[in-house]
Amino acid sequence: MGIDVNPTVSRRRLGSELRRLREISGMTTQQVAERLLISQPKISLLENGRRVVKPRDVRDLCGLYGVQDQRRVEHLMQLAGESGQQGWWNSYGDIPYGAYIGLEAEAAAIRLYEPLVVPGLLQTPAYARAVIAGTIPLITPEKAAARLQVRLRRQDRLRTPGNPLRLWVVLDESVLRRVVGSREVMREQLDHLTHLSAQPHITVQVLPHDVGAHPGVSGQFSLLEFAEAGDVSVVYLERFTSDLYLEKRSDVRLYRDMYAHLQAQALSPDDTRYLVNEVIGAYADPG
């Protein structure tokens, strides 16, 4: 697989184009399914980028939709071939959030709200190791090590030369106060957080406890945005057994508004660094 091939993104782009071609043809997913003798849910999964598309399927669909431009057909078949390849994360075994990693790798900007722990992109190895051990009961040492390696490799996206990920993070104050691993691990982690937050492409804000109820009380969420005009934004909701990906414009708009409210209620980046340094001092105090 070429280093620039991202199967998750290839599936999304291909699915979006296949949906557009179907809509231009005036056909419903049910009509397409009947004509090609396949199930209607398969068509929906293909168009939503949730299923690997075979080049033969693309050829049949383009024929049904009356696509005459052979270069377009070949391009779509190339995307189909890429969609079936493996992402770098697959070499680490069964990583359940592989689809998210693919989106994260392609995103131009991510807005994160996290109420419980420091987000994976900003974790130190020691903190990440403690989070993995504490949140995944009975995980084997081998799987824990694989999770840790994947998490640390994901952080390369923040260091992409000339094009690092633009990251906004809002943390609940509880993230600073919850002792993950040990007081020393927390001190190191918060030092790392202040260092990263000083970089121009990373903004960190803390939502203090005295804010009270706020739009993030329902839990963690991420809003991923992409540079390509055809790549729609995605809201990612992490859950223990099955994650959710929301792409409807109304859903994305709602979460974008929620995030704007969280940023407005949170401490400024400068005040956040002041608070984080206060907490670091408390962890360094043996008393």
Side-chain angles (χ1 to χ4, degrees):
M1 181 180 70
I3 190 170
D4 294 325
V5 172
N6 186 320
T8 302
V9 173
S10 295
R11 283 197 297 271
R12 293 185 77 233
R13 290 176 178 168
L14 177 57
S16 177
E17 182 64 13
L18 290 175
R19 182 188 302 110
R20 191 180 72 84
L21 292 173
R22 176 182 59 76
E23 291 172 346
I24 291 173
S25 74
M27 301 184 70
T28 65
T29 55
Q30 186 60 45
Q31 289 171 328
V32 174
E34 291 172 354
R35 290 285 297 275
L36 297 182
L37 301 178
I38 56 180
S39 69
Q40 186 273 337
K42 177 179 178 179
I43 299 298
S44 296
L45 289 171
L46 295 182
E47 292 185 353
N48 291 327
R50 298 288 185 263
R51 178 167 177 161
V52 173
V53 186
K54 297 180 180 178
R56 178 177 178 178
D57 292 330
V58 171
R59 183 195 62 194
D60 292 345
L61 288 167
C62 286
L64 182 61
Y65 300 151
V67 180
Q68 301 297 322
D69 188 340
Q70 190 57 36
R71 288 178 300 178
R72 174 178 287 186
V73 175
E74 290 174 357
H75 173 65
L76 295 179
M77 291 180 69
Q78 178 183 347
L79 287 178
E82 294 173 357
S83 74
Q85 297 186 38
Q86 299 287 297
W88 62 260
W89 52 90
N90 294 114
S91 64
Y92 291 89
D94 182 22
I95 302 297
Y97 51 95
Y100 175 79
I101 297 175
L103 295 174
E104 180 183 82
E106 190 69 17
I110 298 180
R111 302 173 193 275
L112 268 167
Y113 168 66
E114 178 56 66
L116 298 175
V117 295
V118 174
L121 287 173
L122 304 180
Q123 292 177 2
T124 64
Y127 186 93
R129 191 177 295 110
V131 169
I132 292 168
T135 59
I136 308 176
L138 305 179
I139 189 171
T140 66
E142 294 76 18
K143 288 186 177 181
R147 291 279 188 119
L148 177 62
Q149 291 177 54
V150 169
R151 189 162 303 184
L152 297 180
R153 182 166 175 181
R154 286 169 51 204
Q155 297 174 2
D156 290 344
R157 188 65 187 83
L158 295 174
R159 299 183 288 269
T160 303
N163 186 34
L165 175 68
R166 181 64 175 99
L167 183 65
W168 284 271
V169 178
V170 175
L171 304 174
D172 189 272
E173 185 178 345
S174 300
V175 174
L176 310 183
R177 308 292 183 182
R178 177 172 289 101
V179 179
V180 174
S182 68
R183 293 171 65 86
E184 176 59 27
V185 168
M186 288 301 301
R187 187 197 59 76
E188 179 191 43
Q189 174 61 71
L190 296 186
D191 269 335
H192 184 61
L193 192 64
T194 57
H195 169 72
L196 291 176
S197 68
Q199 300 186 37
H201 60 288
I202 300 174
T203 300
V204 178
Q205 295 176 257
V206 167
L207 198 65
H209 285 155
D210 60 14
V211 164
H214 56 77
V217 293
S218 59
Q220 177 274 352
F221 68 89
S222 306
L223 175 59
L224 297 92
E225 300 169 336
F226 304 89
E228 289 288 333
D231 292 341
V232 300
S233 298
V234 179
V235 175
Y236 172 68
L237 306 176
E238 183 178 1
R239 299 295 181 262
F240 192 77
T241 56
S242 59
D243 300 336
L244 296 176
Y245 298 85
L246 308 178
E247 299 181 33
K248 289 175 56 179
R249 292 185 185 276
S250 58
D251 290 335
V252 172
R253 189 181 308 113
L254 172 63
Y255 277 90
R256 187 174 285 124
D257 289 344
M258 288 171 58
Y259 201 81
H261 280 282
L262 289 172
Q263 287 184 300
Q265 292 175 283
L267 299 175
S268 70
D270 287 341
D271 288 342
T272 290
R273 279 190 286 272
Y274 182 83
L275 174 60
V276 172
N277 283 324
E278 274 193 342
V279 178
I280 290 173
Y283 283 129
D285 183 358

